[in-house]
Each structure stands twice: as structure tokens, then as C-alpha cells.
Amino acid sequence: MTSDALTTTNIPPRGGPLPAGLLPSPLQPISHPLLDAQGVRLWCKRDDLIHPTLSGNKWRKLKYHLQQASEQGKTHLLSFGGAYSNHIHALAAAGHQAGLRTTGIIRGEAEAVSNTTLSAAKGWGMNLIFVDRQSYRRRQDPDWLGQFMAPDTLIVPEGGSSPLAIPGVAELVAEVPFSPDLWVLPCASGGTLAGLIAGKREREQILAIAVLKGGAFIHDEVCRLYPRAADTPGWQIALDHHDGGYAKFSQEMWQWVQAFNAQTGLPLEPIYSGKAMWGLFRELAAGRIPRGSEIVFIHTGGLQGLAGLKEQGRL
């Protein structure tokens, strides 16, 4: 997908349901010398192909938020994100499609309104409110949120990660026609991981690659979103592949991602899925994944972010 495809022409007229998209999303087999050496079989669950603008885990996380808004008669969605947030981009598109007003509380300066991500969100009718970092930390404070609220407003947490995200993500498991030994996915706010834990079969293992530094908190966040996760075996979070922290990446890692893309034909970005794939291959090289494993890697989308990274001169 190119940034040229990310325009309002990809979204049907206002007032309809969330588009069904390409479901089930395809499974792409991946070939690589390291996989051959380890006797490992790898497939990528191409959720990035679900829809041009509502792709990846964002589509799955928003599905039941929009359903709840409809059931409760809410006409306004309010959420939070950074200046290049995949979630804000997807929420604006989903609200436009569903005929709902949307507001994004954006961490950063108002000058960012012209960037690729936020200009698209504004084009879909999203009201953008810029706040400083200190104010943004209060996004779960009811007193602070009161200034933005109205009876018709549904708050969607940052990243779309709430208990409502869990069933949408869990549905992914049934789309895979076999039971893999291991699921692998990028992890930041914990919502996609929580949904996968809820949906996985008993014998299946999950390896979540934290894409941010200091990701130990994610375990507790997953258990908050899905309390049964605390008693569900077979999942772990790898904390050593953040490559500097959230939205940070080294040239070494980006070069690896580009080479992997050229070799396999799999498009990746360096913030989420690219970093997680890099982390998976580091785990393989270190011998921490059993030989002969069958692995399904979840591509969580986010390719729209490539345009923003180019805007910033980081690619």
C-alpha cells in the first residue's frame, strides 16, 4: 500500500456500517534461509490488507466500539493519540464511514495538523485538539475529560485498547485454518495481545514483541483488559527488541526490514510490524524458539505511518 492510496476516496459515503473489508485476511507463507536452517514454517496473517484505511488491528479493535456507539445512541467518538497515530487515522475514517462526529485529543503542537496522518483525519471531519504532554497524561482523569464530554460521546481509549477490542481481535484466530504452535505480534498498549489470548486455542503459545522501552507494564494492562489472561498459560512478552523505544529505530534495524521486504515481498514499517518481525528473527537466531515450530505472525497494519516517517526525514 502506498501513501497515495490513503485518501478519502477509499471511504464509502457517510452513514453506513463499518466496511467488512477483506475478511478473512490472507495468510502469506514466508521463505527465509534462517527459517530453513531452524526447520521453522512461518506465515504472515496479512491484516494490513483488510481495508485501505481501516486495516490491521485498528479495524478489529474498533469494530465493537462502533457497535456499542450504535446501541447506546452515541453520535460522537473521542479518543487520543500522537501526531502520527495509526489509531487516530483509523478512528477518523471509521467515524466518517459510520456518520459519527469524531474528536482527537492530540499530544503535540498544532503545527502538526498539516502532516499526512492528521490532514487525512481532518479531511474525514475529525476535530483535532492539541494538548501538551502534561495535559495529555490526564487523559484518564474524569475531571479533565469533562471539558470535552457530552451525553452523546463515547470515549475510545488510546490505541483502541479496551475490553471492547478483545472480541474483535479474538475473531482472528478462527480465520486461520490450522492451529499454529506460536503466534507472534507487535505489542504496545496490550489490546491486541489481550484479544489474542482470549481467542487462542489451549495448546497455542503467544510471543508478543514489545515495541517500546520499559514494556513490563503491558502484562498488567493485558490482565486489566482481559482478567482471565492472568490464569491463561502460554503467553509472554519479549522486552528486548524495542530498538531504543517507541517510534525509535536504528538504521541497522530499518535496513534489515527493507532487506526482508525485498526478499519476501512483505511490506513492513519500522514502528510496529517491522520491529516485531526483526524481534522474531532475533529470537530465532538466539535459539529461543523450538525447531520445527509452525508460526503465524500477525501484521497489524500501520503502513500509513511510512508517509509520516518520510515527512520527518527519518526514512
Side-chain angles (χ1 to χ4, degrees), residues 189-273:
S189 59
T192 305
L193 174 56
L196 192 60
I197 293 168
K200 82 176 186 74
R201 305 164 187 96
E202 185 175 355
R203 62 168 289 275
E204 297 170 354
Q205 304 288 307
I206 300 173
L207 175 63
I209 307 291
V211 300
L212 42 75
K213 186 184 291 187
F217 75 92
I218 299 173
H219 183 280
D220 291 341
E221 181 63 11
V222 167
C223 294
R224 182 189 70 81
L225 292 168
Y226 181 60
R228 291 178 61 184
D231 301 315
T232 302
W235 62 280
Q236 62 177 307
I237 304 171
L239 302 177
D240 299 329
H241 308 300
H242 55 76
D243 200 32
Y246 180 69
K248 296 181 180 179
F249 56 92
S250 63
Q251 281 303 304
E252 177 188 6
M253 193 273 281
W254 175 232
Q255 288 169 5
W256 184 93
V257 169
Q258 290 176 291
F260 188 84
N261 183 352
Q263 187 169 17
T264 65
L266 181 66
L268 297 167
E269 43 66 51
I271 307 300
Y272 291 100
S273 291

Side-chain angles (χ1 to χ4, degrees), residues 174 275 311:
K275 187 175 287 188
E311 273 185 347

Side-chain angles (χ1 to χ4, degrees), residues 97-110:
Q97 160 66 16
L100 302 174
R101 293 185 298 112
T102 57
T103 296
I105 308 297
I106 308 300
R107 181 188 67 250
E109 302 296 331

Side-chain angles (χ1 to χ4, degrees), residues 6 8 11 18 53-55 57-59 61-62 65-66 76-97 100-108 112-131 136 139 144 154-161 189 246 272 300 302 304-305:
L6 303 175
T8 53
I11 301 295
L18 192 65
T53 47
L54 299 175
S55 69
N57 59 349
K58 303 310 178 190
W59 189 96
K61 286 180 175 182
L62 288 174
H65 284 99
L66 267 72
H76 177 218
L77 304 175
L78 181 144
S79 197
F80 319 87
Y84 290 94
S85 167
N86 293 323
H87 167 66
I88 288 294
H89 185 269
L91 184 73
H96 177 92
Q97 160 66 16
L100 302 174
R101 293 185 298 112
T102 57
T103 296
I105 308 297
I106 308 300
R107 181 188 67 250
V113 71
S114 61
N115 75 32
T116 302
T117 299
L118 295 185
S119 60
K122 189 173 181 179
W124 291 318
M126 176 173 272
N127 178 35
L128 301 172
I129 300 173
F130 293 85
V131 299
Y136 191 79
R139 61 191 178 278
W144 185 77
L154 176 70
I155 292 181
V156 181
E158 184 178 36
S161 290
S189 59
Y246 180 69
Y272 291 100
T300 55
Q304 72 87 23

Side-chain angles (χ1 to χ4, degrees), residues 140-185:
Q140 296 179 2
D141 179 346
D143 292 335
W144 185 77
L145 286 172
Q147 63 187 302
F148 308 113
M149 293 295 293
D152 68 341
T153 300
L154 176 70
I155 292 181
V156 181
E158 184 178 36
S161 290
S162 82
L164 287 172
I166 290 170
V169 175
E171 291 169 356
L172 177 154
V173 174
E175 295 179 12
V176 175
F178 62 92
S179 177
D181 300 304
L182 181 67
W183 298 89
V184 179
L185 72 158

